[in-house]
Amino acid sequence: MSTTNNPPPVPPYTGPGSPQDVPPPKGASPIDPATLPKPIRDELQAPDPVAIDTSAAELKDGLNHCPKCGATDVRQKAGTDLLICQFCRHEWNAQRVEEEFGLGEGIDKLEGTVIASGARDIAADAVNMMTFKCTGCGAEVTVNTESAMTARCHWCRHVFGVNEQVSNGAVPDAVLPFHIKKEDAVARIRQFVDKRRLFALKAFKQEFTPENVGGVYLPYMIVDGNVSADIAGKGEIKTREYTSGSGNNKTTYYDADVYKVARHVDFTIDDLPLESSKARGNLDTKTNTNNIINTILPFDTKNAVKWNASYLLGMSSEKRDQNVEQLRPHLEDELLSVARAQVEKSVNKYDRGVRWESEHLSVHGTRWVSMYLPVWLYSYHQPGANGGMLHYIAVNGRTGETMGSVPVQQWKLLLAAITVGTVLETLAIYILAVTA
Amino acid sequence: MSDDGSLFMLALGPAGGSALYWFLYRYYRNTDKSHDFEHETAVVAKPVTGSEAKVGDVKGTREKRISGDNVHEFRQRVQRIRDDTGRTTSDKGSG
């Protein structure tokens, strides 16, 4: 950036309280707060960030019973948000978290950091493998929460779901069930690829089987925020435009007034999705195609329902591995981008543009809810240097928005480019020769 | 035809070829796509306030835009002014 008055770099932050030091255990204080002056004591003893409790007491045992007959063979009715009992065909609706926990309300009054119980920090000693004792027959059933949230007892066929909020980050506050059916997703992927066949990698085309698409629930943090931003820089307004020289040697010159511009905006943001898996959050297009999955955002997160593992039957899931504090720099970066977009119209009169030089963000309050969002994912591994490249074609499991990365056959693409370049060049030489 | 004009014509081949290459590459690989969160997220903003003051002028420049124009580059971070200590850091890169 072309800031001219950058201060000298800040020395690395070391010493007590720096990120390099081992933090003290939670809640511990080297000094008894009672001995401190009242204002400090009040601060120390003020309540910690509020956690909304979204864990459901009725699902604690891992068995998800039909409210009518008590059977555990419960799954999502395809294409709807309803749950259906496979035994007695009873259907019922899960509660939407939006109303249940009041998540859409009071964003403009948010203060501090409010974290829903499923978005709490992941415990360091948390394990991925969870073992349940089947209440039907007493057998032990293991669920690997890294990739699945349900399992069936191999003895008595009871269906288990990880419903209690274990501290390994695998159980979110809410889940947005799939609406787009598999056949629909396959058709969309086929349609997407059919438009990109000419220069596609030969092996990709030969192995293309969209029926292999898999439904996966990916972990996101859905964030509400109440923020203010200040942006400052220089803007120019054209005052005169004139041309000097003649014939082919004409040059256009501009005169302009330079202004110092500052803008302030207060705004609230509702349901901003952030990838809460470290691998998915890396959007470096040189090494991966995660930007494809990022592109199919947003989802209608307002319709998310309270966590229930039955929605995940037959689908795989990816575990969250990022906590609120790890995602905060990313959030602030996105909030600054939103602020810059908000002030864009207010500087329209600077017809020669604006060079923003400094920005400042005050985050008054944020609310974090962890959520599983539904994605149909088709992948193709292209061999190559450094492990090759994994190409994704992704379909939003709610809106059907489709985006993908189709590997290209480089020589074909180069040949096409060189051919067109040669034709243009021949034309150019011909015109030059004629006019000379 | 002038020298400038001839050079421009001769550059047409390489420029056209590489433009086509990158256009097709992006169409297949979609490396330039990401979530447009600036516009696709529900934002309720109070009216934008601010100030402006003339600080100088530019005479006879050949540039059409101010140098370093970033009014549409929302994700290009500039010098960040922090609250806590009043110190500033320069955050670069895109989000």
Side-chain angles (χ1 to χ4, degrees):
Chain A
M1 206 44 268
S2 60
T3 42
T4 49
N5 55 346
N6 270 349
V10 181
Y13 196 52
T14 53
S18 76
Q20 282 83 23
D21 283 351
V22 178
K26 270 187 189 146
S29 168
I31 305 167
D32 183 6
T35 59
L36 292 167
K38 192 176 180 299
I40 302 174
R41 190 171 67 228
D42 287 349
E43 268 194 6
L44 284 173
Q45 293 177 334
D48 282 321
V50 193
I52 305 167
D53 195 8
T54 54
S55 58
E58 66 271 23
L59 302 173
K60 274 260 185 323
D61 60 358
L63 289 173
N64 192 16
H65 296 279
C66 165
K68 204 170 171 192
C69 73
T72 57
D73 207 350
V74 175
R75 54 176 67 226
Q76 183 197 351
K77 190 178 179 190
T80 69
D81 290 347
L82 295 173
L83 290 171
I84 181 165
C85 173
Q86 298 290 89
F87 188 73
C88 72
R89 313 303 296 173
H90 176 60
E91 293 175 10
W92 69 100
N93 219 334
Q95 298 123 316
R96 297 205 321 167
V97 283
E98 187 77 5
E99 287 91 24
E100 177 100 344
F101 302 116
L103 293 179
E105 299 157 14
I107 302 174
D108 55 335
K109 302 203 172 49
L110 268 182
E111 273 184 32
T113 306
V114 181
I115 302 172
S117 57
R120 281 183 298 213
D121 286 1
I122 298 163
D125 58 348
V127 289
N128 290 330
M129 301 296 278
M130 293 196 59
T131 306
F132 290 93
K133 202 168 186 67
C134 175
T135 48
C137 69
E140 293 211 328
V141 181
T142 304
V143 181
N144 180 1
T145 57
E146 196 80 58
S147 59
M149 299 299 282
T150 54
R152 190 185 273 275
C153 173
H154 36 274
W155 297 107
C156 70
R157 318 268 314 146
H158 255 332
V159 178
F160 286 88
V162 184
N163 284 322
E164 59 180 308
Q165 289 196 328
V166 286
S167 49
N168 67 1
V171 178
D173 295 299
V175 57
L176 193 58
F178 274 91
H179 261 194
I180 300 288
K181 292 180 188 167
K182 185 173 175 179
E183 305 81 67
D184 195 358
V186 169
R188 282 166 201 268
I189 291 171
R190 198 182 291 282
Q191 190 183 359
F192 185 89
V193 172
D194 279 347
K195 289 177 62 165
R196 289 166 181 80
R197 280 187 174 272
L198 196 55
F199 298 102
L201 194 70
K202 195 175 172 195
F204 171 84
K205 285 191 281 190
Q206 283 170 343
E207 294 168 26
F208 182 60
T209 36
E211 291 73 20
N212 289 348
V213 66
V216 56
Y217 280 98
L218 295 177
Y220 288 84
M221 285 282 196
I222 306 299
V223 189
D224 295 338
N226 174 20
V227 293
S228 304
D230 291 281
I231 306 164
K234 301 259 165 45
E236 287 185 4
I237 299 178
K238 186 170 76 181
T239 49
R240 197 172 154 224
E241 179 179 339
Y242 49 95
T243 310
S244 75
S246 59
N248 286 320
N249 292 321
K250 271 188 201 163
T251 313
T252 308
Y253 294 94
Y254 305 92
D255 287 355
D257 286 343
V258 183
Y259 289 83
K260 198 174 162 185
V261 189
R263 289 289 181 269
H264 174 90
V265 62
D266 299 308
F267 63 94
T268 62
I269 191 158
D270 190 7
D271 283 7
L272 178 71
L274 300 178
E275 284 92 357
S276 59
S277 148
K278 197 175 180 186
R280 294 272 166 244
N282 173 7
L283 302 185
D284 178 6
T285 52
K286 286 193 187 73
T287 58
N288 63 54
T289 61
N290 286 335
N291 72 304
I292 298 299
I293 307 173
N294 182 262
T295 308
I296 61 165
L297 291 169
F299 287 78
D300 55 335
T301 42
K302 295 278 167 229
N303 292 319
V305 294
K306 202 162 128 184
W307 168 250
N308 189 322
S310 295
Y311 285 113
L312 272 67
L313 220 59
M315 307 289 180
S316 63
S317 57
E318 196 169 288
K319 201 169 79 66
R320 168 171 78 90
D321 61 4
Q322 294 280 285
N323 291 328
V324 168
E325 287 310 317
Q326 288 163 311
L327 289 170
R328 201 180 284 277
H330 184 190
L331 171 72
E332 290 185 359
D333 192 90
E334 293 206 353
L335 290 175
L336 279 168
S337 302
V338 171
R340 290 264 293 273
Q342 289 295 318
V343 302
E344 185 191 24
K345 282 207 178 79
S346 76
V347 294
N348 271 347
K349 69 173 180 180
Y350 296 95
D351 52 6
R352 281 173 51 82
V354 175
R355 176 180 67 240
W356 294 121
E357 293 171 343
S358 67
E359 49 196 6
H360 171 256
L361 182 75
S362 297
V363 181
H364 309 303
T366 48
R367 178 162 52 202
W368 302 69
V369 174
S370 80
M371 209 178 271
Y372 269 179
L373 300 181
V375 177
W376 288 107
L377 214 52
Y378 178 79
S379 55
Y380 172 80
H381 181 258
Q382 181 185 15
N386 298 325
M389 174 81 89
L390 191 58
H391 294 270
Y392 290 122
I393 300 172
V395 180
N396 184 315
R398 299 288 292 193
T399 63
E401 185 179 350
T402 308
M403 183 44 68
S405 165
V406 175
V408 292
Q409 190 88 50
Q410 284 292 351
W411 68 263
K412 263 194 188 177
L413 196 51
L414 275 171
L415 189 69
I418 290 169
T419 311
V420 169
T422 312
V423 171
L424 283 175
E425 195 67 9
T426 315
L427 267 174
I429 292 170
Y430 174 76
I431 293 170
L432 281 178
V434 169
T435 54
Chain B
M1 193 169 279
S2 74
D3 283 354
D4 267 7
S6 311
L7 280 177
F8 177 78
M9 288 296 283
L10 285 174
L12 204 63
S18 48
L20 180 78
Y21 180 90
W22 285 112
F23 167 77
L24 286 173
Y25 186 84
R26 283 188 178 165
Y27 177 68
Y28 275 68
R29 296 273 282 101
N30 288 303
T31 47
D32 53 338
K33 305 288 190 306
S34 69
H35 177 210
D36 181 17
F37 58 86
E38 289 94 342
H39 300 109
E40 289 184 338
T41 316
V43 172
V44 179
K46 290 183 185 158
V48 175
T49 57
S51 63
E52 37 244 308
K54 192 178 165 190
V55 289
D57 51 21
V58 181
K59 297 268 183 236
T61 175
R62 292 171 66 170
E63 301 296 327
K64 281 187 177 168
R65 306 281 294 177
I66 187 170
S67 78
D69 178 23
N70 56 8
V71 69
H72 305 301
E73 307 294 330
F74 309 133
R75 299 189 189 182
Q76 197 183 84
R77 292 278 71 84
V78 294
Q79 192 181 49
R80 175 92 179 261
I81 296 167
R82 305 269 177 190
D83 262 342
D84 43 7
T85 57
R87 72 192 160 89
T88 56
T89 53
S90 186
D91 293 346
K92 291 179 179 177
S94 63

